[in-house]
Amino acid sequence: MNSFKYKTAFVLPFALLLVAICYGAVAAYAQDKVAVKDLTSELGNKYYDAVDFLLKNPWMTDTIILEKLQPDIALSAVIPAMIRYSALRDIVEASAMRTLYIRSGRKYAHYSVGRFQMKPSFAELVERTYTRQKLGPYKFVISNTPKARSERARRLESMEWQLRYLVMFNKIMDKRYAHIKWKNDEDKARFYATAFDVGFNRDERTIRRMMTPRKINIRTKKVDSKYRTGDVAVWFMVNDGHRFRGGEGSSEN
């Protein structure tokens, strides 16, 4: 009887300890799991059109892999912009703004162009940072002259160059935020997509703050969008990111 009491006194606390450890592990796992808001109805067909475009252009995934970057994270940053893309608006608006930008300079550098909806101001910032940090082979004239602006505008009209700018953006981000230990790939994708949208030249604290609140139209005080840019990036990572890892997307049509 004494032996039984002794064993019980030893085993019961040990069992409780194991339960506590297991519970803690499960809780930690639950915290690390990505909470994903269902965006199916809000994004609509434009989301699927964007994913389909990337799948039909596997050279993009292949190029990103050759640059030693993770394709799903890189592409998640531009998925929100691709959803906003309109071919007709791109032809009408971008062509008019392009002339103003080349002739008059930076005050007209904030129009969006192409599938990735990149702005000349974004491209110029990428060029300047990429050149100063010597992150690769490309050479740019970063002076604010009509010739430099014309060449930049021409590059932005090329899908190949838009992808190059995306690659350069990711390399800049990887170097700048190499000190961060990301919770998971989705956490990194949310941060990069937000930085791509609001300006990667902002400091880390500002980017993280802007990951949370939705954009507010200053004049009307209304929310411009039903969803956050980072939400869309995470939605892409969770639902379709696997199709662009390790060249998987290159086998689909």
Side-chain angles (χ1 to χ4, degrees), residues 93-112:
E93 293 182 5
S95 59
M97 293 302 296
R98 180 183 190 275
T99 302
L100 286 172
Y101 168 63
I102 294 172
R103 290 179 178 176
S104 304
R106 288 173 178 158
K107 63 181 178 180
Y108 294 104
H110 303 292
Y111 69 94
S112 300

Side-chain angles (χ1 to χ4, degrees), residues 189-247:
R190 186 186 294 276
F191 186 87
Y192 277 36
T194 303
F196 180 87
D197 186 45
V198 305
F200 67 90
N201 57 323
R202 297 173 184 266
D203 59 79
E204 180 184 344
R205 173 186 273 184
T206 301
I207 293 173
R208 289 197 179 279
R209 179 172 54 81
M210 299 183 82
M211 284 166 61
T212 304
R214 296 173 181 175
K215 284 186 175 181
I216 303 295
N217 186 303
I218 296 175
R219 293 182 180 177
T220 64
K221 303 296 183 183
K222 292 181 179 179
V223 178
D224 283 342
S225 174
K226 296 178 181 178
Y227 50 81
R228 304 179 184 98
T229 297
D231 291 337
V232 182
V234 172
W235 177 258
F236 169 78
M237 289 289 291
V238 171
N239 293 280
D240 295 289
H242 66 279
R243 306 168 83 175
F244 302 93
R245 294 183 196 126

Side-chain angles (χ1 to χ4, degrees), residues 30-239:
Q31 288 180 349
D32 284 340
K33 285 192 70 176
V34 180
V36 183
K37 177 184 176 183
D38 190 342
L39 299 178
T40 306
S41 60
E42 295 182 29
L43 298 180
N45 290 332
K46 278 190 169 290
Y47 171 79
Y48 299 104
D49 291 343
V51 173
D52 189 54
F53 177 81
L54 294 176
L55 289 172
K56 288 180 177 178
N57 289 275
W59 64 270
M60 295 184 179
T61 299
D62 296 339
T63 300
I64 294 170
I65 291 172
L66 287 174
E67 294 286 349
K68 295 181 172 55
L69 296 170
Q70 195 168 323
D72 51 341
I73 292 178
L75 294 172
S76 70
V78 294
I79 279 286
M82 293 179 71
I83 294 171
R84 296 192 298 267
Y85 171 75
S86 165
L88 180 60
R89 187 175 66 240
D90 196 54
I91 293 172
V92 175
E93 293 182 5
S95 59
M97 293 302 296
R98 180 183 190 275
T99 302
L100 286 172
Y101 168 63
I102 294 172
R103 290 179 178 176
S104 304
R106 288 173 178 158
K107 63 181 178 180
Y108 294 104
H110 303 292
Y111 69 94
S112 300
V113 61
R115 287 274 180 176
F116 292 170
Q117 291 292 278
M118 291 179 171
K119 297 178 174 65
S121 55
F122 167 82
E124 183 178 349
L125 183 59
V126 167
E127 292 171 8
R128 191 184 308 119
T129 308
Y130 180 87
T131 300
R132 287 175 179 172
Q133 296 184 0
K134 300 179 180 179
L135 295 175
Y138 299 112
K139 305 293 183 182
F140 300 101
V141 177
I142 56 177
S143 58
N144 187 27
T145 62
K147 182 179 179 181
R149 294 194 296 269
S150 177
E151 291 177 354
R152 185 173 302 113
R154 178 180 52 80
R155 285 193 290 269
L156 282 172
E157 292 170 359
S158 161
M159 193 67 252
E160 288 78 7
W161 263 104
Q162 289 227 345
L163 185 70
R164 287 174 187 168
Y165 280 125
L166 179 62
V167 166
M168 287 185 271
F169 161 77
N170 275 268
K171 289 189 174 183
I172 291 168
M173 292 291 288
D174 282 351
K175 182 174 182 179
R176 181 172 295 175
Y177 297 105
H179 63 281
I180 297 179
K181 185 177 181 181
W182 307 103
K183 295 177 183 177
N184 45 49
D185 286 347
E186 289 77 16
D187 180 44
K188 182 177 181 179
R190 186 186 294 276
F191 186 87
Y192 277 36
T194 303
F196 180 87
D197 186 45
V198 305
F200 67 90
N201 57 323
R202 297 173 184 266
D203 59 79
E204 180 184 344
R205 173 186 273 184
T206 301
I207 293 173
R208 289 197 179 279
R209 179 172 54 81
M210 299 183 82
M211 284 166 61
T212 304
R214 296 173 181 175
K215 284 186 175 181
I216 303 295
N217 186 303
I218 296 175
R219 293 182 180 177
T220 64
K221 303 296 183 183
K222 292 181 179 179
V223 178
D224 283 342
S225 174
K226 296 178 181 178
Y227 50 81
R228 304 179 184 98
T229 297
D231 291 337
V232 182
V234 172
W235 177 258
F236 169 78
M237 289 289 291
V238 171
N239 293 280

Side-chain angles (χ1 to χ4, degrees), residues 2-13:
N2 290 336
S3 175
F4 175 76
K5 287 181 178 179
Y6 174 78
K7 288 180 180 178
T8 302
F10 174 77
V11 172
L12 186 57

